[in-house]
């Protein structure tokens, strides 16, 4: 056997409904390290892939939102545990794309801490943001938060692990399901994170991760009538931002635009982020009956 073996470059799949399919289009694109050496191939997601992902996310919504807040918190904590176990895998993936050893360790640690942070809020945010309202008639008047439904998200381009975890956690901890487009330039940590999700207790369909081109998919993310909200944290080109806003108005889709440059900062985590993906439901209950 020859010693000059040629490495087989892996084609990273997407993550839909707890499975790892290729794009229905059959398209892939090349992923490079910081020195422009080929690392692997990634699927180039299409409109059909996105539509399939939304259908899967919608199907998973009722079961996930019906779980107790305590249970959702437990599952987020389990994701953090599994991420801790796969620390070495993420060290190998963050290094080639420019993270020094200390930076990669800090990114993984912060990602684990971020998941635990939101796990802790799972059964507490209702107490903080819900209310009993004063009314003039003989009624109790309650305002409670309920998940909005299916959320589409652009993961941060330059923070492929910590940014990704920081976007997903506040969406799902409140009972929503999501379809996330991974960093276009650095998609590999997102698919490895999908493997973490798949080995945790997250039901299939709660988190769906696509890889591909933001410019191609932004229209589909913002026009889909069964997506209730869309979030992005990067500064998008003005034309794309305008298009997203206009498309979202077609079904009164909520757009959350939170520019975050430093994912280690205090502004990158907040219980208020959960409320971006919640609807307020007010109930009147008569007194004395």
């Amino acid at each position: 056997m020859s010693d000059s073996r040629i490495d087989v470059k892996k084609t990273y799949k997407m993550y839909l409904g707890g499975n790892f399919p290729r794009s229905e289009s059959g398209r892939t694109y090349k992923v490079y390290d910081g020195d422009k050496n080929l690392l692997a191939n990634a699927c180039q997601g299409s409109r059909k892939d996105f539509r399939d992902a939304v259908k899967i996310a919608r199907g998973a919504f009722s079961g996930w939102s019906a779980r107790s807040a305590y249970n959702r918190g437990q599952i987020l904590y389990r994701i953090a545990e599994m991420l801790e176990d796969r620390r070495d895998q993420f060290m190998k993936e963050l290094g080639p794309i420019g993270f020094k050893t200390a930076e990669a360790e800090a990114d993984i640690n912060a990602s684990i801490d971020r998941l635990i942070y939101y796990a802790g809020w799972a059964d507490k945010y209702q107490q903080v943001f819900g209310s009993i309202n004063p009314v003039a008639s003989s009624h109790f008047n309650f305002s409670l938060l309920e998940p909005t439904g299916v959320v589409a998200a652009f993961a941060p381009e330059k923070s492929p692990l910590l940014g990704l975890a920081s976007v997903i956690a506040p969406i799902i901890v409140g009972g929503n399901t999501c379809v996330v487009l991974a960093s276009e330039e650095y998609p590999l940590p997102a698919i490895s994170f999908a493997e973490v999700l798949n080995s945790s207790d997250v039901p299939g369909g709660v988190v769906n991760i696509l890889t591909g081109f933001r410019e191609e998919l932004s229209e589909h993310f913002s026009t889909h009538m069964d997506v209730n909200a869309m979030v992005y944290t990067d500064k998008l080109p003005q034309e794309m931002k305008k298009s997203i806003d206009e498309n979202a108005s077609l079904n009164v889709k909520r757009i959350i635009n939170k520019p975050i440059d430093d994912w280690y900062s205090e502004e990158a985590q907040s219980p208020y982020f959960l409320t971006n993906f919640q609807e307020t439901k007010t109930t009147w209950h008569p007194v004395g009956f």
Side-chain angles (χ1 to χ4, degrees), residues 86-157:
R86 298 198 178 205
R87 174 181 293 274
D88 292 345
Q89 179 181 349
F90 285 96
M91 290 292 293
K92 292 177 181 176
E93 292 187 343
L94 292 172
I97 60 176
F99 286 76
K100 297 178 181 176
T101 300
E103 292 172 338
E105 288 180 346
D107 206 69
I108 296 166
N109 290 338
S111 300
I112 294 168
D113 292 347
R114 184 92 5 118
L115 291 165
I116 292 174
Y117 172 85
Y118 283 111
W121 274 107
D123 57 356
K124 300 176 183 65
Y125 72 92
Q126 286 281 9
Q127 300 170 47
V128 175
F129 297 109
S131 63
I132 300 176
N133 310 310
V135 293
S137 58
S138 299
H139 295 83
F140 286 122
N141 185 276
F142 306 92
S143 290
L144 300 173
L145 301 183
E146 292 188 347
T148 192
V150 176
V151 180
F154 286 165
E157 189 63 26

Side-chain angles (χ1 to χ4, degrees), residues 4 21 54 57 64 71 87 134 139 146 153 188 199 201-203 228 236 241 250 252 254 257 264 277 284:
S4 58
V54 172
W64 179 245
N71 182 240
R87 174 181 293 274
H139 295 83
E146 292 188 347
L188 306 190
S199 58
D201 299 324
V202 183
N228 302 95
L236 301 182
K241 186 174 180 297
L250 298 175
V252 200
R254 186 182 298 184
N257 175 17
Y264 298 95
F277 312 107
W284 295 72

Side-chain angles (χ1 to χ4, degrees), residues 128-264:
V128 175
F129 297 109
S131 63
I132 300 176
N133 310 310
V135 293
S137 58
S138 299
H139 295 83
F140 286 122
N141 185 276
F142 306 92
S143 290
L144 300 173
L145 301 183
E146 292 188 347
T148 192
V150 176
V151 180
F154 286 165
E157 189 63 26
K158 300 301 181 185
S159 184
L161 178 59
L162 175 57
L164 177 77
S166 300
V167 167
I168 291 175
I171 295 174
I172 65 173
V173 77
N176 301 285
T177 57
C178 63
V179 179
V180 182
L181 180 63
S183 167
E184 181 177 317
E185 188 174 4
Y186 307 123
L188 306 190
I191 302 305
S192 293
F193 187 72
E195 294 174 357
V196 169
L197 295 171
N198 200 48
S199 58
S200 307
D201 299 324
V202 183
V206 172
V207 179
N208 304 277
I209 299 177
L210 301 179
T211 53
F213 298 158
R214 186 179 288 181
E215 184 174 0
E216 176 187 347
L217 295 172
S218 66
E219 179 183 353
H220 308 314
F221 270 60
S222 56
T223 57
H224 199 296
M225 300 300 283
D226 203 24
V227 171
N228 302 95
M230 180 178 174
V231 57
Y232 59 91
T233 59
D234 287 340
K235 294 175 182 175
L236 301 182
Q238 190 59 33
E239 279 301 312
M240 184 183 293
K241 186 174 180 297
K242 180 182 177 185
S243 173
I244 288 172
D245 288 342
E246 291 177 350
N247 291 337
S249 68
L250 298 175
N251 72 333
V252 200
K253 189 187 280 87
R254 186 182 298 184
I255 298 295
I256 300 102
N257 175 17
K258 285 191 171 299
I260 296 175
D261 295 322
D262 182 3
W263 286 99
Y264 298 95

